Amino acid sequence: MTAGVTENLRKVTSYAAKHEARFMKLLTEQTEDGCKRRNAARKKELEAAEKRIADLSAIFKRLYEDSVVGRISDERFTELSADYEAEQKELKEKAALQGELSKMMEATAR
């Protein structure tokens, strides 16, 4: 197994030495593609977090209305609202961090 890895490494370094400009271009393209995929994944996570934050706001409003009209007990309201608020706070913090990360990644990509 080590012999195969060593041989493969020799081939790559030989190619890089003979075709340095082409090798650097390929390497740069692969790095950029990786960054684009990571940024796309972060953007998708950020959008999902923002959607869940909005969903939680709507859930909390319905929960409050259910409490006001007596469909659920005050204890249950307190328990559920605390859970939803904690989840929403966590998502907002995560979304803020992801937003900052995305801005930093875009700035370095330029």
Side-chain angles (χ1 to χ4, degrees):
M1 182 168 183
T2 305
V5 172
T6 304
E7 180 58 30
N8 210 7
L9 189 56
R10 271 193 216 116
K11 287 179 183 177
V12 170
T13 54
S14 173
Y15 178 85
K18 291 177 185 173
H19 310 284
E20 184 177 349
R22 192 179 313 162
F23 181 77
M24 290 304 294
K25 183 179 179 193
L26 286 171
L27 192 60
T28 302
E29 287 172 357
Q30 287 181 350
T31 303
E32 288 173 355
D33 287 345
C35 285
K36 287 178 185 176
R37 281 194 299 274
R38 283 190 299 277
N39 284 341
R42 280 191 191 106
K43 184 177 179 182
K44 191 174 183 178
E45 286 178 22
L46 179 59
E47 289 170 354
E50 289 172 343
K51 182 182 182 319
R52 181 63 180 162
I53 289 167
D55 291 346
L56 287 170
S57 291
I59 290 169
F60 191 75
K61 287 176 187 175
R62 286 192 304 265
L63 182 64
Y64 179 77
E65 291 171 0
D66 287 347
S67 175
V68 169
V69 296
R71 285 184 230 158
I72 62 169
S73 69
D74 289 341
E75 295 83 22
R76 187 69 177 146
F77 171 78
T78 302
E79 179 184 324
L80 290 171
S81 64
D83 290 346
Y84 288 135
E85 285 177 355
E87 181 183 357
Q88 192 173 45
K89 180 182 177 188
E90 184 180 318
L91 286 169
K92 283 181 179 180
E93 290 170 358
K94 182 180 178 181
L97 286 173
Q98 286 180 336
E100 288 301 314
L101 254 174
S102 293
K103 287 178 188 175
M104 288 173 36
M105 293 300 286
E106 287 175 12
T108 57
R110 291 179 191 157

